[in-house]
Amino acid sequence: MITIEELQRMKDADIMQADRDQLVDINSIEIDKSKSVESRIRTYLEQAGNPFLVKAGEYILKFTYADCDKDMDDRMVEYVSKMSKIRC
């Protein structure tokens, strides 16, 4: 099992220093959606290695998680709204 210290180290990893060849491609991660949330989290952690830093093809992705009331849908609406105002 991953310790809190290891998770913090993974969270703090610098995306600019990441070795693309050492990262897991998120497209290769397979999660059984019929399993419990705990089981799905465990599977993701086992397959991803670093739950905060993965690659998607040639791109390196760094995930951060906010402790707030807004979810991904809210953030996407804000983003699209902001982008539409910039292009006008």
Side-chain angles (χ1 to χ4, degrees):
M1 194 54 149
I2 297 174
T3 65
I4 297 295
E5 291 80 16
E6 290 171 313
L7 274 176
Q8 188 63 48
R9 180 183 52 77
M10 289 182 221
K11 179 182 174 194
D12 294 340
D14 183 354
I15 193 171
M16 300 305 288
Q17 301 297 320
D19 181 355
R20 181 178 278 108
D21 295 330
Q22 297 297 315
L23 298 175
V24 172
D25 193 309
I26 198 164
N27 296 310
S28 69
I29 296 175
E30 295 183 15
I31 307 286
D32 183 348
K33 294 178 183 173
S34 68
K35 301 283 184 175
S36 69
V37 171
E38 182 179 324
S39 177
R40 288 181 282 171
I41 291 170
R42 185 178 301 115
T43 300
Y44 177 77
L45 289 172
E46 289 169 356
Q47 291 183 46
N50 183 338
F52 303 97
L53 202 58
V54 295
K55 65 183 174 184
E58 64 182 83
Y59 299 100
I60 296 176
L61 308 173
K62 184 165 184 175
F63 297 112
T64 58
Y65 304 93
D67 185 20
C68 65
D69 293 333
K70 293 187 178 185
D71 63 14
M72 184 65 150
D73 290 334
D74 296 330
R75 296 293 185 189
M76 288 303 292
V77 168
E78 288 176 2
Y79 174 74
V80 171
S81 176
K82 180 179 176 182
M83 293 308 292
S84 67
K85 290 176 185 172
I86 290 173
R87 295 177 192 226
C88 293

